[in-house]
Amino acid sequence: MERVKDALASLDHPERDFPALHVAGTNGKGSTCAFVASALQAAGHRVGLYTSPHLVRVNERIRVAGDDISDDVFGQRILEVLERYPSALSDPMTYFEFGTVVALWHFSRERVDVAVLETGLGGRLDATTAANPLVTCITPVSFDHMEYLGHTLREIAGEKAGIFKPHVPVVLARQDPEALDMLLLRAEHLGVPVRLEGRDFEFAVRDTGRLAYQGLAWTLEDLTLSLRGPYQRQNAAVALACLEVLQAQGVAVTPEAARVGLATARWPGRLEEVAARPPVVVDGAHNPAGVAVLLEALRALYAGRPLHLVFGVVADKDRGPMMRALFPLATSVHLTPLDTSRSLPPERYADEARALCSRVVVHGSLEEALAGARGDADATADGLVLCTGSLFLVGAVKRLLARNLGAMQHRQ
């Protein structure tokens, strides 16, 4: 953390120029941040949103008032930071560290009213932890990045709890008991007020099928979520609790603005349908817990449709549980490399895949894999193509489809 703190000090502490919500966890962080930012914007605030990773362009990581930072302004902010902190070149910061400093500097220059900050990997040693939050939040904690965060839920939760600040309130999603025990222990040690899902707030589905929220002070009925999938209900509940606590901390936001925020939030790459005939769905699930909620969503939205899977994974992910959950449900599986040095070559796990699905094809490129899956889906009634396993894959699919659409429009 020292380099980040030194850089921010050289910039006269831009992180102190605005209140912030700081969100950590394993799954659901991005959607929760998107819901909160959308609601705050509906309440009339100028909102800064910092998330990672990006899907198509790095500009997606830094947003103000719903807009990605432009190329020109991004370049300008980078030069401004380097001018004030030249040590970033002589003692190089990591990609994420430098990006975080640039984001905080940009939010200060843009005079945002409030910022929503998503951690990158963990919490305790995450660059975003140098921020000055008004409220913190932990979404569900599960197994991911074990080589950095630990091999038990207790260890991982301890790293996530590193975002806690003394006496700064935290909103906790419903957790595995092992993770919850550690989070509550850390909160008690720091004198952190806790707002816990299931005890202090909850989301419900009424008999009519309508969605409702019962919170700390708000009771909201007939809610609409812009993001698809049953799992988004929990993310929405956590977001609403964060908004309630922000309101109690002095940030002006109303239940009406929260309702609008839930109905209008955008968060690409999560159960997103990016093409039709046959439908192509992309989802960034990249750990066993993420795959579990993805399958729940598929059963709710695409029940009974033959599944043709495009799958790619990075080498440091726990691929076995993901494959065992997904592959037996697929009519065909198309394995693809990813455009990253961390990609696991499909040939390395093709035999594992063939033990789980009768039709497995290894491809040399994503373009081939997607074409193969779409061809198989065309050959089956109501076939569905699902691309998952990594956010790198989701971004690459979106780029490929956008490029193909652009080429087709150019020919026309």
Side-chain angles (χ1 to χ4, degrees):
M1 295 299 299
E2 292 308 312
R3 286 181 299 196
V4 175
K5 290 178 179 178
D6 288 347
L8 293 173
S10 297
L11 295 164
D12 293 328
H13 292 288
E15 77 280 8
R16 299 176 183 174
D17 292 341
F18 45 83
L21 168 70
H22 192 194
V23 181
T26 305
N27 291 305
K29 298 191 302 293
S31 298
T32 300
C33 288
F35 279 136
V36 172
S38 179
L40 290 171
Q41 192 164 322
H45 294 289
R46 185 168 174 79
V47 182
L49 176 61
Y50 180 59
T51 59
S52 63
H54 59 275
L55 295 180
V56 179
R57 303 177 72 236
V58 67
N59 311 57
E60 298 165 23
R61 295 179 179 228
I62 304 174
R63 302 177 190 175
V64 172
D67 295 326
D68 298 352
I69 188 171
S70 69
D71 290 345
D72 288 345
V73 173
F74 205 174
Q76 177 184 338
R77 296 296 185 234
I78 289 171
L79 292 175
E80 289 168 354
V81 170
L82 290 175
E83 179 182 0
R84 290 161 176 79
Y85 187 67
S87 296
L89 297 175
S90 58
D91 181 20
M93 307 173 79
T94 68
Y95 181 92
F96 186 76
E97 287 170 349
F98 189 75
T100 301
V101 171
V102 170
L104 295 173
W105 173 250
H106 179 61
F107 294 161
S108 173
R109 297 302 91 191
E110 289 292 313
R111 301 184 184 278
V112 301
D113 300 318
V114 60
V116 179
L117 309 173
E118 178 190 8
T119 59
L121 190 151
R124 181 175 63 92
L125 298 178
D126 193 90
T128 57
T129 306
N132 193 34
L134 197 61
V135 178
T136 60
C137 170
I138 307 288
T139 65
V141 173
S142 59
F143 291 102
D144 204 2
H145 301 295
M146 283 92 81
E147 69 278 23
Y148 302 112
L149 304 180
H151 293 273
T152 68
L153 285 180
R154 186 176 179 85
E155 290 175 324
I156 296 169
E159 290 295 319
K160 305 292 184 182
I163 72 167
F164 292 175
K165 297 290 194 298
H167 311 296
V168 173
V170 63
V171 173
L172 296 182
R174 200 183 306 272
Q175 302 287 343
D176 181 280
E178 186 180 354
L180 180 60
D181 180 64
M182 172 55 75
L183 293 170
L184 293 177
L185 185 67
R186 292 292 177 86
E188 182 180 12
H189 176 71
L190 293 171
V192 170
V194 173
R195 304 292 181 264
L196 177 62
E197 183 188 4
R199 185 191 71 186
D200 302 309
F201 65 92
E202 61 184 350
F203 216 68
V205 182
R206 299 297 189 215
D207 293 339
T208 60
R210 300 283 188 171
L211 303 178
Y213 171 79
Q214 180 61 58
L216 308 167
W218 297 349
T219 299
L220 302 178
E221 300 283 345
D222 297 332
L223 293 168
T224 300
L225 305 185
S226 60
L227 305 183
R228 301 194 308 159
Y231 60 89
Q232 293 294 358
R233 297 168 190 165
Q234 180 181 42
N235 296 331
V238 173
L240 287 170
C242 289
L243 290 164
E244 286 194 90
V245 179
L246 283 168
Q247 182 192 51
Q249 295 287 90
V251 176
V253 59
T254 64
E256 292 73 22
R259 182 185 296 276
V260 172
L262 296 190
T264 58
R266 294 182 298 107
W267 192 238
R270 279 71 175 180
L271 210 63
E272 181 184 5
E273 194 167 310
V274 293
R277 298 188 304 273
V280 177
V281 174
V282 296
D283 190 89
H286 55 275
N287 53 49
V291 167
V293 296
L294 167 60
L295 290 177
E296 180 187 5
L298 290 176
R299 285 190 289 268
L301 297 171
Y302 298 100
R305 302 189 71 160
L307 181 64
H308 301 275
L309 188 64
V310 177
F311 186 83
V313 67
V314 297
D316 58 357
K317 292 298 179 182
D318 189 11
R319 69 180 182 276
M322 292 194 286
M323 292 168 60
R324 289 191 292 272
L326 280 167
F327 289 15
L329 304 178
T331 302
S332 69
V333 173
H334 298 262
L335 303 181
T336 180
L338 303 175
D339 187 18
T340 170
S341 60
R342 296 167 57 199
S343 176
L344 182 66
E347 297 81 5
R348 293 265 297 276
Y349 60 101
D351 288 343
E352 296 174 55
R354 292 188 176 106
L356 298 169
C357 179
S358 60
R359 174 165 168 73
V360 173
V361 184
V362 175
H363 297 275
S365 70
L366 171 60
E367 190 164 14
E368 293 175 7
L370 186 57
R374 296 177 88 171
D376 283 353
D378 278 332
T380 57
D382 291 328
L384 170 72
V385 176
L386 171 66
C387 307
T388 193
S390 171
L391 284 166
F392 288 109
L393 174 62
V394 170
V397 170
K398 289 173 70 70
R399 283 192 297 272
L400 176 62
L401 292 176
R403 187 167 65 244
N404 290 347
L405 178 62
M408 184 173 64
Q409 291 173 336
H410 178 71
R411 287 195 298 271
Q412 291 173 347

